[in-house]
Amino acid sequence: EPEVTQTPSHQVTQMGQEVILRCVPISNHLYFYWYRQILGQKVEFLVSFYNNEISEKSEIFDDQFSVERPDGSNFTLKIRSTKLEDSAMYFCASIERGGTGELFFGEGSRLTVL
Amino acid sequence: KNEVEQSPQNLTAQEGEFITINCSYSVGISALHWLQQHPGGGIVSLFMLSSGKKKHGRLIATINIQEKHSSLHITASHPRDSAVYICAVRVQKLVFGQGTRLTINP
């Protein structure tokens, strides 16, 4: 069964470092999303991406985040100058072209900022 | 003000019991998702609803658009159903509830 793949599964970084999280969405999917879940809190939307452009972003997105689809398959989330409070699970998700609207999530990337 | 409210926050039941988790929302939506988050953190989509009712195995999801309310039911619950169940509504972006932690004891 096709799946969304995220790497790394866990990354530990020092405060102030840049981090890139990678996602390979399911191949015929067109809509891509990044979400974040700080430990003990609810999942929050970061950004949606369609047709190689950001279609919507959260209020916090521009402060520290950027997204790219560098090669037509990978979908990356870059976190600039990480802070302690960026420690969280980051989930990538996608929706297929012309489908039911069902979201397919990756397993998540756990980021720990020290 | 939370746009999505789930109840209960925590639910413990015995194997075989009928489970209901509720979700209320305050805004107009285009769709509502029920998600399951495993203890390891991974998220799986269970249902996407825009009206009526859907059933998949022992899981049933209903939505009442006028009342801005949805319910997720689990029949004949089993310990493997233990997880966090999350309601999320689509208002352009996806807005998530805080989740309901379900524990089914054998």
Side-chain angles (χ1 to χ4, degrees):
Chain A
E1 184 176 321
E3 59 181 22
V4 177
T5 305
Q6 288 187 241
T7 56
S9 56
H10 187 195
Q11 181 159 351
V12 181
T13 191
Q14 294 291 324
M15 194 167 55
Q17 296 296 304
E18 176 183 281
V19 166
I20 295 177
L21 305 178
R22 291 181 171 81
C23 171
V24 180
I26 298 171
S27 62
N28 66 337
H29 286 201
L30 279 185
Y31 301 86
F32 312 118
Y33 305 85
W34 282 103
Y35 300 97
R36 177 173 80 171
Q37 187 177 35
I38 296 169
L39 185 65
Q41 298 186 20
K42 57 185 178 182
V43 179
E44 63 176 324
F45 166 82
L46 289 177
V47 66
S48 59
F49 195 83
Y50 169 70
N51 203 23
N52 291 324
E53 289 184 350
I54 290 173
S55 50
E56 188 153 6
K57 55 190 176 183
S58 69
E59 296 81 5
I60 66 168
F61 185 80
D62 285 336
D63 294 344
Q64 275 186 276
F65 300 94
S66 61
V67 289
E68 282 187 351
R69 197 161 185 230
D71 57 10
S73 58
N74 288 291
F75 177 47
T76 63
L77 177 72
K78 182 187 291 185
I79 310 172
R80 299 183 292 272
S81 189
T82 49
K83 300 180 280 192
L84 294 176
E85 54 265 37
D86 295 326
S87 296
M89 281 286 281
Y90 289 82
F91 293 101
C92 172
S94 65
I95 295 177
E96 67 178 314
R97 178 206 304 260
T100 61
E102 181 184 357
L103 273 167
F104 291 81
F105 284 84
E107 286 293 308
S109 293
R110 181 175 299 282
L111 176 65
T112 302
V113 182
L114 302 177
Chain B
K1 182 182 187 307
N2 288 328
E3 291 174 289
V4 183
E5 292 278 356
Q6 288 186 234
S7 63
Q9 286 193 312
N10 294 282
L11 178 57
T12 299
Q14 291 299 120
E15 184 173 355
E17 285 189 40
F18 181 81
I19 302 298
T20 296
I21 299 170
N22 296 298
C23 175
S24 296
Y25 52 92
S26 57
V27 297
I29 66 170
S30 57
L32 181 145
H33 296 256
W34 280 104
L35 310 168
Q36 181 191 53
Q37 187 167 29
H38 300 295
I43 296 175
V44 173
S45 176
L46 299 175
F47 295 104
M48 192 198 76
L49 295 161
S50 52
S51 64
K53 176 178 171 178
K54 286 189 176 179
K55 184 175 190 293
H56 186 251
R58 295 180 295 107
L59 301 178
I60 303 165
T62 63
I63 188 168
N64 185 318
I65 298 292
Q66 286 73 29
E67 294 186 5
K68 294 185 168 59
H69 181 269
S70 176
S71 294
L72 176 69
H73 305 285
I74 305 175
T75 62
S77 59
H78 190 275
R80 65 175 174 266
D81 297 326
S82 298
V84 175
Y85 291 84
I86 301 171
C87 168
V89 300
R90 184 168 296 285
V91 284
Q92 290 192 308
K93 65 180 184 181
L94 209 57
V95 178
F96 293 78
Q98 79 278 20
T100 294
R101 183 174 299 277
L102 175 65
T103 304
I104 304 296
N105 293 318

